[in-house]
Amino acid sequence: MSEFVIELVDVVKRFATPEGNEVTAVDHVSLQIRHGEFFSLLGPSGCGKTTSLRMIAGFEWPTSGEVLIDGKPMGRTPPFWRPVNTVFQSYALFQHMTVFQNVAFGLEMDKTPASEIKHRVGEALEMVKLSGMERRKPRQLSGGQQQRVALARALVKRPKVLLLDEPLGALDLKLRREMQIELKTLQEQVGITFIYVTHDQEEALTMSDRITVMNRGKALQTGSPVEIYERPNCRFVADFIGQANFFAGKMLAFDDQGARVAIPALQTELIGQPVGNLEPGQAVAVSIRPEKVRIAQEPAFGSNSVRGRVIHTTYIGSNTHVLLELAGGVRINAWEQNKISTLDPKAYFLPGQEIWANLFPENVLILPED
Amino acid sequence: MKKSSTGGNTAPLPVALGAWIALLFLHVPVLIILLYAFTTEEATYSFPPPGLTLRWIGITMGRTDFWQALQLSLRVAGIATLAALVLGTLAAAAVARSRFFGKEAVSFLLLLPLALPGIVTGIALRSAISLGNIPFSFWTIVIGHATFCVVVVYNNVVARLRRFGNSQVEASMDLGANGWQTFRYVIFPNIASALLAGGMLAFALSFDEVIVTTFTAGQQSTLPIWIFSQLVRPRDRPVTNVVAIVVILITFIPIVIAHRLTQESNE
Ligand SMILES: Nc1ncnc2c1ncn2[C@@H]1O[C@H](COP(=O)(O)OP(=O)(O)OP(=O)(O)O)[C@@H](O)[C@H]1O
Ligand SMILES: [Mg+2]
């Protein structure tokens, strides 16, 4: 058994468009997905997530590179010979079949004995809480129920890997949250590898063991949710996952706390954590997340402290969002947690107030400019 | 099934009158055929018929040339329809499923025989058959009829496939069904009524086709050609009317069923 259940080795996929151009939907992507992992492909619309998934399922063949399942190169193996199953974004249920027939379909194709089919379909429907609906047609189900049928239909085959293409995209927010938890629980229960496509960063962060962030056909970064959020390796990832403030800067030198960068707009130098291979003199994007900006009356010891003024505050319950203007007119967002329950307006920052923004070096990331 | 439109919303008199005249104009000749299938006159028709009789039905049934023509027509229509079902479905699948260069042109070329006047198709086929040194026979008639039967089936099936989309086909393959199983269990149930409707329409078209047949037939007479020859040399004239009723029954029923089937699936 190979260490990785799915591997993409330098995969490229180009399409000829009807307009006569060529688009590179997937651009030299390499991925290694481990057994039993909940793995997400995250990126904006059109970045190549679906195309990557379809190449694993066998609906598309790579222009170059190789897809391996369980260590075996797939080449042009058709979908029906691959040990993976897909939950389609549109569900793609067989409209002329009942729920039972839909779920039984894959087992029938495998020539599973009828008694076992009955048993396994029952089990699968129970797992997705659809027992008793066996005889309904898809059009007699709600969106959430159809989604569950699609899930049961794929899971009943006990595939090595389940591919899910934005399976919750069509559901309302509340149902989406519920299904996220259910899906994650289910995945832990059955122990099948999930490859989960989404453009919702929150969904990816809450559900995944590991995430690959994609943009314009390229896999930018792969890592755990914490790694992706706390140590994004480029400006795009920092920007796409959560929120971030950016300053344009120039690398000066490495030191024992990290590296020093010049920020012309702030007319100062900042110390931060360099990510990736940076060289002195290189143009960089310096980023800090809003919840990591500390606002205070005094500069803090050991911090990059920048003088600033409160422009605007928004109270949102758990946090107060504060818009600051720093030296040189640079504006940044800071989120202050409301840790003390009080009605005293002085406990919150007021527009016009002069403050210090403390940007601790461990919170400041120095990223290659893309 | 459908509720009548809102009550009291009747058409103004001139419009209603016009509609009735049009209907009469279309259907009175058919009624005349019905009527004169039962007249007691043998060669000339007068109105009203001097008397009514069922004797012509018996006489028709006794004529072997009628039976031969009917049998030929049924066989031609049957085989042409079968060929059309297979070829039309394949063509529709190719056009609907794939994205190949010149797809629109292929689609247009497939529909062309229906738009071409039958006389052009007939001449073209006759030249082609002669050039190929193929003797005019039963099979040349079938080939002639298949040209427009394929189009009818193709047209029905391609419309259905377009609406059906590709996602269920992909789901089927994903779940382990190979190409044939996917066709059998997923595509076929969804195009079956379109196939039936297209097939019936093709059958009806073939059954009463005259123009292309005159160009592609040898010595054989299909039923419509037989009727035509009877009109030229009248013998027991009402017999042709009885046969016409047979033709009406055989072509009308499939067309009604086909119409129903397409209506149902459009809802
Ligand atoms: N069959 C195709 N022919 C031509 N171009 C295609 C085809 N399929 C995808 N593309 C192009 O490839 C790119 C990636 O598409 P893909 O469907 O993988 O994006 P995605 O990340 O799934 O986006 P979304 O979140 O909107 O679903 C897009 O620019 C798209 O237009
Ligand atoms: Mg997609």
Side-chain angles (χ1 to χ4, degrees):
Chain A
M1 197 166 83
S2 161
E3 184 190 352
F4 302 109
V5 63
I6 301 279
E7 270 180 278
L8 269 62
V9 184
D10 203 24
V11 168
V12 176
K13 179 66 186 179
R14 294 201 183 87
F15 289 109
T17 64
E19 304 90 59
N21 305 327
E22 249 197 2
V23 282
T24 306
V26 174
D27 197 358
H28 297 282
V29 166
S30 295
L31 296 176
Q32 294 178 319
I33 298 165
R34 299 192 191 102
H35 292 272
E37 226 177 357
F38 196 118
F39 192 96
S40 292
L41 291 176
L42 174 64
S45 184
C47 71
K49 307 180 293 289
T50 297
T51 308
S52 305
L53 211 62
R54 287 172 61 82
M55 284 191 286
I56 300 172
F59 297 122
E60 311 279 359
W61 296 319
T63 310
S64 72
E66 187 69 85
V67 174
L68 291 90
I69 300 182
D70 231 357
K72 284 190 278 293
M74 282 295 115
R76 300 200 154 190
T77 309
F80 43 89
W81 285 338
R82 298 191 183 203
V84 300
N85 288 111
T86 308
V87 177
F88 296 85
Q89 176 162 17
S90 59
Y91 310 148
L93 298 179
F94 304 126
Q95 297 295 330
H96 61 292
M97 298 185 195
T98 61
V99 168
F100 183 93
Q101 288 167 330
N102 264 281
V103 180
F105 186 84
L107 297 177
E108 269 159 12
M109 294 305 113
D110 292 349
K111 306 238 156 43
T112 310
S115 59
E116 193 188 332
I117 292 183
K118 199 151 184 287
H119 174 71
R120 274 169 70 176
V121 171
E123 234 176 37
L125 286 176
E126 197 167 322
M127 201 153 61
V128 298
K129 308 200 182 96
L130 278 182
S131 304
M133 303 219 177
E134 286 85 352
R135 289 162 66 180
R136 298 229 197 149
K137 290 276 180 70
R139 66 180 96 247
Q140 297 166 316
L141 299 174
S142 74
Q145 290 165 337
Q146 291 183 31
Q147 204 281 325
R148 287 157 201 262
V149 177
L151 193 63
R153 184 176 72 172
L155 273 178
V156 78
K157 293 206 58 173
R158 298 177 188 157
K160 283 213 166 72
V161 179
L162 192 67
L163 309 173
L164 303 104
D165 192 356
E166 308 207 20
L168 308 182
L171 306 182
D172 65 47
L173 194 65
K174 187 167 172 298
L175 193 55
R176 223 181 141 97
R177 293 266 155 77
E178 277 172 34
M179 287 298 297
Q180 283 173 6
I181 297 168
E182 273 178 37
L183 266 181
K184 178 72 183 163
T185 317
L186 196 68
Q187 190 263 340
E188 282 162 2
Q189 190 184 321
V190 294
I192 292 174
T193 310
F194 275 33
I195 304 183
Y196 192 94
V197 161
T198 178
H199 61 255
D200 179 342
Q201 42 122 347
E202 200 179 308
E203 189 165 284
L205 289 176
T206 40
M207 299 174 81
S208 319
D209 295 320
R210 283 195 307 149
I211 302 170
T212 285
V213 182
M214 293 184 71
N215 189 35
R216 297 167 175 234
K218 290 205 163 70
L220 299 177
Q221 185 175 9
T222 300
S224 66
V226 174
E227 284 166 349
I228 297 276
Y229 188 83
E230 301 295 349
R231 287 292 177 273
N233 68 0
C234 63
R235 182 181 172 137
F236 179 86
V237 175
D239 203 16
F240 189 72
I241 314 290
Q243 295 207 22
N245 299 298
F246 290 102
F247 312 105
K250 201 172 102 180
M251 262 301 275
L252 295 176
F254 294 95
D255 71 13
D256 51 355
Q257 284 190 70
R260 274 186 305 122
V261 279
I263 312 290
L266 296 177
Q267 293 162 341
T268 182
E269 289 176 12
L270 296 178
I271 296 174
Q273 307 306 312
V275 180
N277 296 324
L278 296 171
E279 281 165 28
Q282 187 177 340
V284 290
V286 177
S287 109
I288 182 162
R289 298 209 182 268
E291 76 275 13
K292 296 188 167 84
V293 176
R294 304 278 183 76
I295 310 174
Q297 309 296 349
E298 304 291 332
F301 176 76
S303 165
N304 304 290
S305 295
V306 186
R307 197 94 181 103
R309 193 158 50 88
V310 176
I311 299 294
H312 183 77
T313 66
T314 313
Y315 173 82
I316 62 154
S318 59
N319 289 304
T320 301
H321 289 187
V322 184
L323 179 64
L324 301 176
E325 188 169 287
L326 306 182
V330 179
R331 291 188 172 193
I332 65 169
N333 289 300
W335 296 345
E336 284 288 311
Q337 247 190 8
N338 299 326
K339 284 202 163 158
I340 297 165
S341 178
T342 172
L343 296 176
D344 180 5
K346 285 201 281 293
Y348 306 98
F349 294 100
L350 298 172
Q353 206 173 334
E354 296 286 332
I355 50 86
W356 287 89
N358 291 318
L359 317 174
F360 285 90
E362 63 266 34
N363 295 334
V364 174
L365 301 179
I366 305 169
L367 310 169
E369 186 69 81
D370 0 74
Chain B
M1 258 192 293
K2 288 201 190 75
K3 293 201 188 86
S4 63
S5 56
T6 43
N9 200 1
T10 45
L13 193 65
V15 177
L17 210 64
W20 277 109
I21 291 173
L23 272 178
L24 285 178
F25 178 71
L26 285 172
H27 293 289
V28 163
V30 177
L31 294 177
I32 290 175
I33 287 180
L34 278 175
L35 182 62
Y36 285 94
F38 302 102
T39 180
T40 46
E41 292 167 299
E42 287 188 12
T44 52
Y45 296 151
S46 58
F47 189 84
L52 295 177
T53 171
L54 291 177
R55 143 174 102 93
W56 300 115
I57 297 179
I59 291 177
T60 311
M61 297 301 132
R63 298 253 311 246
T64 49
D65 51 346
F66 159 70
W67 285 113
Q68 276 170 0
L70 177 64
Q71 202 199 6
L72 178 66
S73 275
L74 287 174
R75 273 170 57 211
V76 167
I79 293 175
T81 303
L82 274 182
L85 285 174
V86 175
L87 296 177
T89 306
L90 290 177
V95 169
R97 289 269 164 269
S98 46
R99 295 163 277 182
F100 58 84
F101 179 73
K103 175 176 147 175
E104 293 311 314
V106 170
S107 187
F108 175 73
L109 284 177
L110 276 166
L111 289 174
L112 199 58
L114 211 59
L116 275 183
I119 194 131
V120 176
T121 313
I123 295 173
L125 277 168
R126 185 163 192 95
S127 321
I129 291 166
S130 313
L131 273 179
N133 262 337
I134 303 164
F136 290 92
S137 65
F138 171 77
W139 289 108
T140 52
I141 307 177
V142 170
I143 290 170
H145 286 203
T147 55
F148 53 84
C149 289
V150 168
V151 184
V152 171
V153 173
Y154 165 82
N155 219 4
N156 267 277
V157 175
V158 88
R160 185 68 60 86
L161 283 178
R162 287 229 169 95
R163 250 185 311 148
F164 181 55
N166 208 18
S167 63
Q168 288 183 52
V169 172
E170 289 191 341
S172 160
M173 306 245 264
D174 188 70
L175 291 165
N178 59 30
W180 162 247
Q181 288 168 318
T182 298
F183 179 78
R184 170 75 188 78
Y185 299 113
V186 177
I187 300 175
F188 183 74
N190 281 286
I191 63 167
S193 63
L195 274 177
L196 200 58
M200 290 197 169
L201 213 56
F203 187 91
L205 276 181
S206 162
F207 193 77
D208 73 354
E209 213 286 333
V210 177
I211 304 171
V212 175
T213 317
T214 46
F215 283 94
T216 53
Q219 297 306 309
Q220 310 87 335
S221 296
T222 59
L223 201 58
I225 291 184
W226 180 83
I227 294 175
F228 199 66
S229 66
Q230 290 300 298
L231 292 176
V232 181
R233 309 176 261 106
R235 177 168 69 101
D236 300 337
R237 256 183 104 172
V239 164
T240 50
N241 291 352
V242 172
V243 176
I245 292 173
V246 171
V247 174
I248 289 172
L249 289 179
I250 293 179
T251 55
F252 190 64
I253 292 169
I255 287 178
V256 169
I257 295 177
H259 184 68
R260 275 282 180 83
L261 287 173
T262 26
Q263 287 259 300
E264 266 169 34
S265 65
N266 281 345
E267 271 168 21

